[in-house]
Amino acid sequence: MITHPRLSTAAPLAAAGITVLLWASAFVGIRGIGGTFSAGPLAPGRRLLIGTLVLGVLLLRRGFVRPSRRTLLLILLSGLLWFGLYNVALNAAERHLDAGTAAMLVNVGPVVLAILAGTFLKEGFPPRLLIGSGIAVCGALVIGTSTAGGRHGDLLGVGLCLVAAVAYAVGVTAQKPALKELPALQVTWMGCAIGMVGCLPFAPQLWTETAHASVGAIAGLVYLGVFPTAVAFTTWAYALARTDAGKLGATTYLVPLVAALLSWAVLSEVPAPLALAGGALCLTGVAVTRLRKRPAPVPILAKEPG
C-alpha cells in the first residue's frame, strides 16, 4: 500500500492535537474535583478503575504481543514515572496552584525531553527545535504569569510541578524505543497498568472518598480516566511512534494556552490579556519546531545551442 506523504504527516499531527486538547482539559478536571478526591487517590482513580479497563478491553480485540526483556524494563520505567509519579505529583501541585500556572510549569518537561531525546535517542539538536522550544518556553512563562493573577506560586506546588515535568520527560524517553517493537495501544495499556499497580496503596482511600463523592465529582473522575488517560495517551503513543520525541514533545507547549482557555470557560478563572500574547508565542514556537528543512534546489543546466 502506498501512503500519501501529506497523509502520513497529517495523521500524527492530528493525533498530537487530540492529545494536547485532552491533556489541557485534565488540568481543569483535576482542579475541578480536587475538593472531593485528594492527590494520591485521584491517580489510581483515573488509572485503576477507568483507564486500564478501557484500554484493556480494546487490547483484547487486537491481541497481545510478547515484549522482550529490554522493552519490558523500558515500559516499567515509563509506567512508574509517567503514569504513576507524574499524576500523583501533578494532582498534589494543583492543590496549591491554579490550572494555568500548573500547566505552564509542567511544560518545562518538553525542554528536558528534547535534551534526553537528543542525548539518548540520538535525535540530535536541530536549530529549529532549540529556537522553537525557546520561543514556546517564553510563551508558557507568560501564560503562567498571567493566569496566576500576579500572585507568587506556592513553593511546594512549584516543586511538585517540576517533579512531574521530569517524570514525564524520562517516561517519554523510555517509551519511545518500546514503540518500535510493540503496538501503541499495548504500550499505553502496559504503562497504565504498571502505574496503577504503583498507585495501589492509595486504593483504600479512593474507595472511602468515592463513597462520599457527588455524582458530578464521580462523572469528572470517569472523564479523566477515559479521555485524558485512555484516549489521549493512545493518540500520543501513535504520534510518538511516527515522530521524533523532541519535536513531538514541543507540541505540548500548546497545553497551557488551551488549559487557560478551558479554565476560563469552566472554572471562571479568567485569563489576563497577557495570556493571549503568551499563547501566540506558544503557537509560534510549535510552528518553528515543525518546520522542515527545504531541499537544496536542483541546478538547471543551460542547453548548448545547436
Side-chain angles (χ1 to χ4, degrees):
M1 181 187 302
I2 300 177
T3 304
H4 195 282
R6 290 187 178 179
L7 180 60
S8 62
T9 303
L13 188 59
I18 293 172
T19 301
V20 167
L21 176 61
L22 294 180
W23 279 353
S25 72
F27 285 94
V28 179
I30 291 170
R31 189 158 172 81
I33 64 176
T36 302
F37 296 99
S38 52
L42 182 55
R46 294 174 62 187
R47 308 301 184 201
L48 174 60
L49 297 178
I50 304 163
T52 304
L53 294 177
V54 171
L55 291 170
V57 171
L58 295 175
L59 185 61
L60 284 175
R61 301 178 60 182
R62 298 193 178 188
F64 187 87
V65 180
R66 183 176 179 178
S68 65
R69 182 177 180 180
R70 176 179 177 274
T71 297
L72 184 59
L73 290 175
L74 289 172
I75 297 176
L76 178 65
L77 178 63
S78 178
L80 290 175
L81 291 180
W82 193 8
F83 289 83
L85 178 59
Y86 168 87
N87 282 281
V88 175
L90 177 59
N91 296 342
E94 288 208 53
R95 304 180 78 85
H96 302 275
L97 302 172
D98 60 85
T101 302
M104 176 272 294
L105 290 169
V106 168
N107 271 270
V108 173
V111 177
V112 182
L113 173 58
I115 296 172
L116 293 175
T119 303
F120 296 102
L121 301 181
K122 309 302 181 184
E123 294 183 359
F125 301 95
R128 295 182 304 281
L129 175 61
L130 298 178
I131 294 172
S133 295
I135 295 173
V137 164
C138 292
L141 289 172
V142 171
I143 292 174
T145 301
S146 62
T147 55
R151 301 189 306 271
H152 292 288
D154 183 271
L155 288 179
L156 177 59
V158 171
L160 289 168
C161 279
L162 294 178
V163 168
V166 174
Y168 150 81
V170 178
V172 173
T173 304
Q175 187 190 61
K176 174 70 173 179
L179 291 166
K180 296 180 180 179
E181 180 180 328
L182 302 177
L185 177 62
Q186 180 176 330
V187 172
T188 306
W189 176 82
M190 291 178 67
C192 197
I194 291 168
M196 171 199 72
V197 173
C199 292
L200 279 180
F202 299 110
Q205 188 178 351
L206 171 64
W207 178 265
T208 301
E209 292 181 356
T210 302
H212 296 87
S214 65
V215 175
I218 294 175
L221 187 66
V222 172
Y223 172 83
L224 288 173
V226 174
F227 293 98
T229 302
V231 175
F233 276 88
T234 300
T235 53
W236 167 270
Y238 173 87
L240 183 61
R242 295 160 176 82
T243 310
D244 288 346
K247 187 176 293 186
L248 181 63
T251 64
T252 61
Y253 286 122
L254 294 174
V255 170
L257 170 62
V258 181
L261 293 175
L262 291 176
S263 181
W264 174 31
V266 178
L267 302 178
S268 297
E269 295 179 347
V270 182
L274 192 58
L276 297 177
L281 284 175
C282 284
L283 289 168
T284 302
V286 172
V288 170
T289 65
R290 302 297 300 186
L291 290 176
R292 293 180 176 272
K293 186 177 180 180
R294 294 183 177 182
V298 179
I300 300 176
L301 300 179
K303 185 178 180 181
E304 295 183 3

